[in-house]
Amino acid sequence: MVDWISLAAPFAYLGILIGSLATFASLYRARKASKSASLAPWFPPHLQRNIYLSLLHLDQPSPTSDKPLAVPDSILKAALLRRATEDIHRIISVRSAKQALSTLLARGSVGDELWQRFLRAEKEMEEELKDVVQEANALAPNWGTTIFQSANEMATNAVIRKRVEEVQAQAKVDREWWDRKRETTRSEFMKELEMDVEKVAGKGNDKGTSTSTPATVSRPLTAGGEKGSDEDTVLVESGGPTTLGGTVGKASAKKRKGKK
């Protein structure tokens, strides 16, 4: 016979242990869910999605009938395409940040709270992509397979257009800077040129003045210790040693003739 009374204690212990573990697990999941729900979102509110849902559920009464007017499919498709374009930007942001964030988390540079926010944003993006594909297929058959390709082209075109506008704005600023720089350089160059011309003109004037200045040549003292008369003084133009020597020689010859 099995002694159930002696086995009741182990079964009671196992029941209490399993119940405690189940309670702890449920409380832990509830606490984790509430904590993740209280985390700040990774992305700002999805404005394009809100606009699309507002247009989709817009009930505008018809003036001729009791049925509400439906929003045209072209407007809904345009709104959904805008929504997909915004999703493309967010996907690129998530993919570019995932590797860097995982590296920082492994090094301990960021906390677990930031990683939980990122994981929640990644999960939300996966659900968003599925929702967009379903909405596209509901508006047009098989459009869900090509909607993100069209959205990617629109996103690339928007980035290129924004870059071109930035380059054009920067080109205008650079043009103004270059005009100011050119005028400054031109004025400085003209000042230097005028200074060089003035220096050359000043050297020419000094050279002309030194060429036309007469030189005075006097006879040496005579034997009596007196200077010669005024006739002994000869004015000589500065024209070289040959002219000066010839003039002095002629003056000496005339003096000797006068003494004889």
mmCIF file of all heavy atoms in Angstrom, residues 183-217:
data_model
loop_
_atom_site.group_PDB
_atom_site.id
_atom_site.type_symbol
_atom_site.label_atom_id
_atom_site.label_comp_id
_atom_site.label_asym_id
_atom_site.label_seq_id
_atom_site.Cartn_x
_atom_site.Cartn_y
_atom_site.Cartn_z
ATOM 1 N N GLU A 183 38.111 92.117 -54.553
ATOM 2 C CA GLU A 183 38.226 93.571 -54.449
ATOM 3 C C GLU A 183 39.334 93.952 -53.471
ATOM 4 O O GLU A 183 40.110 94.891 -53.727
ATOM 5 C CB GLU A 183 36.891 94.166 -54.000
ATOM 6 C CG GLU A 183 35.780 94.043 -55.019
ATOM 7 C CD GLU A 183 36.094 94.815 -56.295
ATOM 8 O OE1 GLU A 183 36.793 95.846 -56.202
ATOM 9 O OE2 GLU A 183 35.645 94.386 -57.374
ATOM 10 N N THR A 184 39.431 93.231 -52.362
ATOM 11 C CA THR A 184 40.496 93.529 -51.396
ATOM 12 C C THR A 184 41.871 93.281 -52.000
ATOM 13 O O THR A 184 42.794 94.095 -51.847
ATOM 14 C CB THR A 184 40.314 92.657 -50.145
ATOM 15 O OG1 THR A 184 38.999 92.877 -49.606
ATOM 16 C CG2 THR A 184 41.347 93.011 -49.101
ATOM 17 N N THR A 185 42.028 92.168 -52.696
ATOM 18 C CA THR A 185 43.310 91.854 -53.325
ATOM 19 C C THR A 185 43.659 92.861 -54.400
ATOM 20 O O THR A 185 44.820 93.281 -54.540
ATOM 21 C CB THR A 185 43.254 90.437 -53.934
ATOM 22 O OG1 THR A 185 42.853 89.502 -52.921
ATOM 23 C CG2 THR A 185 44.606 90.039 -54.482
ATOM 24 N N ARG A 186 42.659 93.287 -55.168
ATOM 25 C CA ARG A 186 42.909 94.269 -56.227
ATOM 26 C C ARG A 186 43.353 95.604 -55.638
ATOM 27 O O ARG A 186 44.286 96.242 -56.155
ATOM 28 C CB ARG A 186 41.642 94.456 -57.064
ATOM 29 C CG ARG A 186 41.800 95.429 -58.219
ATOM 30 C CD ARG A 186 40.496 95.585 -58.975
ATOM 31 N NE ARG A 186 40.092 94.312 -59.567
ATOM 32 C CZ ARG A 186 38.938 94.158 -60.218
ATOM 33 N NH1 ARG A 186 38.083 95.169 -60.307
ATOM 34 N NH2 ARG A 186 38.651 92.993 -60.760
ATOM 35 N N SER A 187 42.685 96.045 -54.567
ATOM 36 C CA SER A 187 43.072 97.319 -53.954
ATOM 37 C C SER A 187 44.478 97.252 -53.372
ATOM 38 O O SER A 187 45.269 98.189 -53.522
ATOM 39 C CB SER A 187 42.059 97.691 -52.882
ATOM 40 O OG SER A 187 42.041 96.702 -51.857
ATOM 41 N N GLU A 188 44.819 96.137 -52.729
ATOM 42 C CA GLU A 188 46.165 95.990 -52.190
ATOM 43 C C GLU A 188 47.217 95.957 -53.289
ATOM 44 O O GLU A 188 48.290 96.562 -53.165
ATOM 45 C CB GLU A 188 46.237 94.707 -51.353
ATOM 46 C CG GLU A 188 45.421 94.759 -50.073
ATOM 47 C CD GLU A 188 45.485 93.450 -49.319
ATOM 48 O OE1 GLU A 188 46.102 92.498 -49.854
ATOM 49 O OE2 GLU A 188 44.929 93.370 -48.194
ATOM 50 N N PHE A 189 46.894 95.289 -54.384
ATOM 51 C CA PHE A 189 47.840 95.238 -55.498
ATOM 52 C C PHE A 189 48.049 96.611 -56.124
ATOM 53 O O PHE A 189 49.178 96.989 -56.470
ATOM 54 C CB PHE A 189 47.316 94.259 -56.555
ATOM 55 C CG PHE A 189 48.189 94.166 -57.774
ATOM 56 C CD1 PHE A 189 49.408 93.493 -57.733
ATOM 57 C CD2 PHE A 189 47.808 94.778 -58.970
ATOM 58 C CE1 PHE A 189 50.210 93.408 -58.848
ATOM 59 C CE2 PHE A 189 48.608 94.703 -60.081
ATOM 60 C CZ PHE A 189 49.820 94.016 -60.034
ATOM 61 N N MET A 190 46.979 97.395 -56.259
ATOM 62 C CA MET A 190 47.110 98.732 -56.828
ATOM 63 C C MET A 190 47.922 99.642 -55.900
ATOM 64 O O MET A 190 48.721 100.467 -56.378
ATOM 65 C CB MET A 190 45.719 99.325 -57.070
ATOM 66 C CG MET A 190 44.922 98.612 -58.155
ATOM 67 S SD MET A 190 45.755 98.605 -59.751
ATOM 68 C CE MET A 190 45.768 100.352 -60.105
ATOM 69 N N LYS A 191 47.740 99.490 -54.605
ATOM 70 C CA LYS A 191 48.539 100.287 -53.667
ATOM 71 C C LYS A 191 50.014 99.947 -53.790
ATOM 72 O O LYS A 191 50.877 100.839 -53.822
ATOM 73 C CB LYS A 191 48.048 100.052 -52.237
ATOM 74 C CG LYS A 191 46.691 100.667 -51.936
ATOM 75 C CD LYS A 191 46.280 100.391 -50.506
ATOM 76 C CE LYS A 191 44.928 101.001 -50.189
ATOM 77 N NZ LYS A 191 44.493 100.710 -48.796
ATOM 78 N N GLU A 192 50.324 98.659 -53.862
ATOM 79 C CA GLU A 192 51.725 98.252 -54.018
ATOM 80 C C GLU A 192 52.300 98.752 -55.330
ATOM 81 O O GLU A 192 53.462 99.189 -55.395
ATOM 82 C CB GLU A 192 51.828 96.732 -53.938
ATOM 83 C CG GLU A 192 51.514 96.168 -52.563
ATOM 84 C CD GLU A 192 51.600 94.653 -52.534
ATOM 85 O OE1 GLU A 192 51.891 94.074 -53.608
ATOM 86 O OE2 GLU A 192 51.400 94.057 -51.455
ATOM 87 N N LEU A 193 51.494 98.716 -56.393
ATOM 88 C CA LEU A 193 51.971 99.203 -57.691
ATOM 89 C C LEU A 193 52.240 100.701 -57.654
ATOM 90 O O LEU A 193 53.251 101.182 -58.193
ATOM 91 C CB LEU A 193 50.924 98.874 -58.764
ATOM 92 C CG LEU A 193 51.315 99.177 -60.207
ATOM 93 C CD1 LEU A 193 52.542 98.366 -60.599
ATOM 94 C CD2 LEU A 193 50.151 98.871 -61.140
ATOM 95 N N GLU A 194 51.376 101.484 -57.023
ATOM 96 C CA GLU A 194 51.598 102.919 -56.905
ATOM 97 C C GLU A 194 52.849 103.218 -56.090
ATOM 98 O O GLU A 194 53.620 104.137 -56.427
ATOM 99 C CB GLU A 194 50.373 103.565 -56.267
ATOM 100 C CG GLU A 194 49.135 103.556 -57.166
ATOM 101 C CD GLU A 194 47.922 104.121 -56.465
ATOM 102 O OE1 GLU A 194 48.074 104.479 -55.266
ATOM 103 O OE2 GLU A 194 46.849 104.207 -57.082
ATOM 104 N N MET A 195 53.071 102.453 -55.012
ATOM 105 C CA MET A 195 54.275 102.655 -54.217
ATOM 106 C C MET A 195 55.538 102.356 -55.022
ATOM 107 O O MET A 195 56.529 103.094 -54.933
ATOM 108 C CB MET A 195 54.219 101.775 -52.967
ATOM 109 C CG MET A 195 53.127 102.175 -51.973
ATOM 110 S SD MET A 195 53.005 101.033 -50.575
ATOM 111 C CE MET A 195 54.609 101.270 -49.832
ATOM 112 N N ASP A 196 55.502 101.307 -55.848
ATOM 113 C CA ASP A 196 56.663 100.986 -56.684
ATOM 114 C C ASP A 196 56.923 102.076 -57.709
ATOM 115 O O ASP A 196 58.076 102.449 -57.966
ATOM 116 C CB ASP A 196 56.437 99.644 -57.391
ATOM 117 C CG ASP A 196 56.418 98.485 -56.409
ATOM 118 O OD1 ASP A 196 56.958 98.660 -55.299
ATOM 119 O OD2 ASP A 196 55.867 97.420 -56.758
ATOM 120 N N VAL A 197 55.845 102.625 -58.301
ATOM 121 C CA VAL A 197 56.010 103.711 -59.282
ATOM 122 C C VAL A 197 56.595 104.943 -58.621
ATOM 123 O O VAL A 197 57.475 105.620 -59.173
ATOM 124 C CB VAL A 197 54.654 104.024 -59.940
ATOM 125 C CG1 VAL A 197 54.747 105.281 -60.790
ATOM 126 C CG2 VAL A 197 54.205 102.843 -60.802
ATOM 127 N N GLU A 198 56.137 105.263 -57.408
ATOM 128 C CA GLU A 198 56.681 106.424 -56.702
ATOM 129 C C GLU A 198 58.148 106.228 -56.358
ATOM 130 O O GLU A 198 58.957 107.156 -56.458
ATOM 131 C CB GLU A 198 55.864 106.670 -55.432
ATOM 132 C CG GLU A 198 54.443 107.163 -55.704
ATOM 133 C CD GLU A 198 53.661 107.325 -54.423
ATOM 134 O OE1 GLU A 198 54.224 106.991 -53.360
ATOM 135 O OE2 GLU A 198 52.501 107.780 -54.481
ATOM 136 N N LYS A 199 58.538 105.004 -55.984
ATOM 137 C CA LYS A 199 59.940 104.744 -55.675
ATOM 138 C C LYS A 199 60.817 104.895 -56.913
ATOM 139 O O LYS A 199 61.893 105.483 -56.875
ATOM 140 C CB LYS A 199 60.091 103.336 -55.104
ATOM 141 C CG LYS A 199 59.535 103.189 -53.702
ATOM 142 C CD LYS A 199 59.731 101.769 -53.204
ATOM 143 C CE LYS A 199 59.181 101.595 -51.784
ATOM 144 N NZ LYS A 199 59.349 100.207 -51.308
ATOM 145 N N VAL A 200 60.337 104.361 -58.047
ATOM 146 C CA VAL A 200 61.109 104.487 -59.295
ATOM 147 C C VAL A 200 61.233 105.937 -59.702
ATOM 148 O O VAL A 200 62.293 106.407 -60.136
ATOM 149 C CB VAL A 200 60.447 103.637 -60.399
ATOM 150 C CG1 VAL A 200 61.101 103.912 -61.743
ATOM 151 C CG2 VAL A 200 60.549 102.162 -60.059
ATOM 152 N N ALA A 201 60.163 106.728 -59.582
ATOM 153 C CA ALA A 201 60.211 108.146 -59.935
ATOM 154 C C ALA A 201 61.160 108.907 -59.018
ATOM 155 O O ALA A 201 61.916 109.783 -59.459
ATOM 156 C CB ALA A 201 58.809 108.735 -59.868
ATOM 157 N N GLY A 202 61.168 108.585 -57.737
ATOM 158 C CA GLY A 202 62.078 109.253 -56.811
ATOM 159 C C GLY A 202 63.535 108.952 -57.112
ATOM 160 O O GLY A 202 64.397 109.828 -57.063
ATOM 161 N N LYS A 203 63.861 107.725 -57.497
ATOM 162 C CA LYS A 203 65.239 107.391 -57.863
ATOM 163 C C LYS A 203 65.675 108.124 -59.117
ATOM 164 O O LYS A 203 66.804 108.572 -59.237
ATOM 165 C CB LYS A 203 65.365 105.882 -58.053
ATOM 166 C CG LYS A 203 65.260 105.089 -56.761
ATOM 167 C CD LYS A 203 65.414 103.605 -57.032
ATOM 168 C CE LYS A 203 65.319 102.810 -55.733
ATOM 169 N NZ LYS A 203 65.440 101.352 -55.976
ATOM 170 N N GLY A 204 64.749 108.264 -60.084
ATOM 171 C CA GLY A 204 65.088 108.991 -61.314
ATOM 172 C C GLY A 204 65.371 110.452 -61.048
ATOM 173 O O GLY A 204 66.297 111.036 -61.616
ATOM 174 N N ASN A 205 64.608 111.083 -60.183
ATOM 175 C CA ASN A 205 64.834 112.489 -59.858
ATOM 176 C C ASN A 205 66.162 112.677 -59.148
ATOM 177 O O ASN A 205 66.905 113.627 -59.417
ATOM 178 C CB ASN A 205 63.693 113.015 -58.985
ATOM 179 C CG ASN A 205 62.368 113.052 -59.742
ATOM 180 O OD1 ASN A 205 62.362 113.181 -60.974
ATOM 181 N ND2 ASN A 205 61.260 112.937 -59.029
ATOM 182 N N ASP A 206 66.501 111.761 -58.215
ATOM 183 C CA ASP A 206 67.783 111.866 -57.512
ATOM 184 C C ASP A 206 68.954 111.715 -58.478
ATOM 185 O O ASP A 206 69.962 112.419 -58.383
ATOM 186 C CB ASP A 206 67.870 110.803 -56.426
ATOM 187 C CG ASP A 206 66.835 111.045 -55.340
ATOM 188 O OD1 ASP A 206 66.335 112.198 -55.238
ATOM 189 O OD2 ASP A 206 66.495 110.082 -54.606
ATOM 190 N N LYS A 207 68.850 110.846 -59.461
ATOM 191 C CA LYS A 207 69.925 110.628 -60.431
ATOM 192 C C LYS A 207 70.106 111.839 -61.340
ATOM 193 O O LYS A 207 71.211 112.265 -61.641
ATOM 194 C CB LYS A 207 69.608 109.387 -61.262
ATOM 195 C CG LYS A 207 70.733 108.992 -62.201
ATOM 196 C CD LYS A 207 70.396 107.700 -62.909
ATOM 197 C CE LYS A 207 71.542 107.301 -63.851
ATOM 198 N NZ LYS A 207 71.232 106.047 -64.564
ATOM 199 N N GLY A 208 68.983 112.444 -61.775
ATOM 200 C CA GLY A 208 69.084 113.639 -62.618
ATOM 201 C C GLY A 208 69.694 114.808 -61.888
ATOM 202 O O GLY A 208 70.478 115.578 -62.428
ATOM 203 N N THR A 209 69.388 114.965 -60.622
ATOM 204 C CA THR A 209 69.938 116.070 -59.839
ATOM 205 C C THR A 209 71.438 115.909 -59.651
ATOM 206 O O THR A 209 72.215 116.866 -59.771
ATOM 207 C CB THR A 209 69.247 116.141 -58.474
ATOM 208 O OG1 THR A 209 67.840 116.252 -58.665
ATOM 209 C CG2 THR A 209 69.747 117.318 -57.676
ATOM 210 N N SER A 210 71.887 114.681 -59.388
ATOM 211 C CA SER A 210 73.322 114.451 -59.196
ATOM 212 C C SER A 210 74.093 114.610 -60.500
ATOM 213 O O SER A 210 75.261 114.998 -60.512
ATOM 214 C CB SER A 210 73.542 113.055 -58.623
ATOM 215 O OG SER A 210 73.053 112.082 -59.546
ATOM 216 N N THR A 211 73.494 114.403 -61.651
ATOM 217 C CA THR A 211 74.170 114.543 -62.957
ATOM 218 C C THR A 211 74.371 115.996 -63.333
ATOM 219 O O THR A 211 75.406 116.409 -63.863
ATOM 220 C CB THR A 211 73.361 113.830 -64.048
ATOM 221 O OG1 THR A 211 73.182 112.475 -63.658
ATOM 222 C CG2 THR A 211 74.059 113.902 -65.387
ATOM 223 N N SER A 212 73.397 116.863 -63.052
ATOM 224 C CA SER A 212 73.469 118.273 -63.469
ATOM 225 C C SER A 212 74.140 119.167 -62.444
ATOM 226 O O SER A 212 74.261 120.363 -62.664
ATOM 227 C CB SER A 212 72.047 118.796 -63.731
ATOM 228 O OG SER A 212 71.274 118.686 -62.553
ATOM 229 N N THR A 213 74.594 118.685 -61.308
ATOM 230 C CA THR A 213 75.235 119.520 -60.287
ATOM 231 C C THR A 213 76.677 119.806 -60.695
ATOM 232 O O THR A 213 77.444 118.876 -60.962
ATOM 233 C CB THR A 213 75.226 118.809 -58.930
ATOM 234 O OG1 THR A 213 73.858 118.514 -58.585
ATOM 235 C CG2 THR A 213 75.856 119.668 -57.863
ATOM 236 N N PRO A 214 77.109 121.101 -60.784
ATOM 237 C CA PRO A 214 78.494 121.425 -61.185
ATOM 238 C C PRO A 214 79.467 121.108 -60.069
ATOM 239 O O PRO A 214 79.115 121.138 -58.894
ATOM 240 C CB PRO A 214 78.428 122.921 -61.470
ATOM 241 C CG PRO A 214 77.304 123.425 -60.627
ATOM 242 C CD PRO A 214 76.300 122.341 -60.586
ATOM 243 N N ALA A 215 80.698 120.805 -60.472
ATOM 244 C CA ALA A 215 81.783 120.523 -59.512
ATOM 245 C C ALA A 215 82.814 121.637 -59.574
ATOM 246 O O ALA A 215 83.117 122.155 -60.633
ATOM 247 C CB ALA A 215 82.445 119.180 -59.834
ATOM 248 N N THR A 216 83.381 122.001 -58.463
ATOM 249 C CA THR A 216 84.366 123.086 -58.365
ATOM 250 C C THR A 216 85.732 122.492 -58.161
ATOM 251 O O THR A 216 85.925 121.678 -57.249
ATOM 252 C CB THR A 216 84.029 124.017 -57.188
ATOM 253 O OG1 THR A 216 82.704 124.490 -57.358
ATOM 254 C CG2 THR A 216 85.002 125.162 -57.120
ATOM 255 N N VAL A 217 86.682 122.858 -59.031
ATOM 256 C CA VAL A 217 88.064 122.372 -58.956
ATOM 257 C C VAL A 217 88.965 123.566 -58.656
ATOM 258 O O VAL A 217 88.923 124.574 -59.360
ATOM 259 C CB VAL A 217 88.505 121.711 -60.278
ATOM 260 C CG1 VAL A 217 89.939 121.234 -60.174
ATOM 261 C CG2 VAL A 217 87.560 120.564 -60.597
#
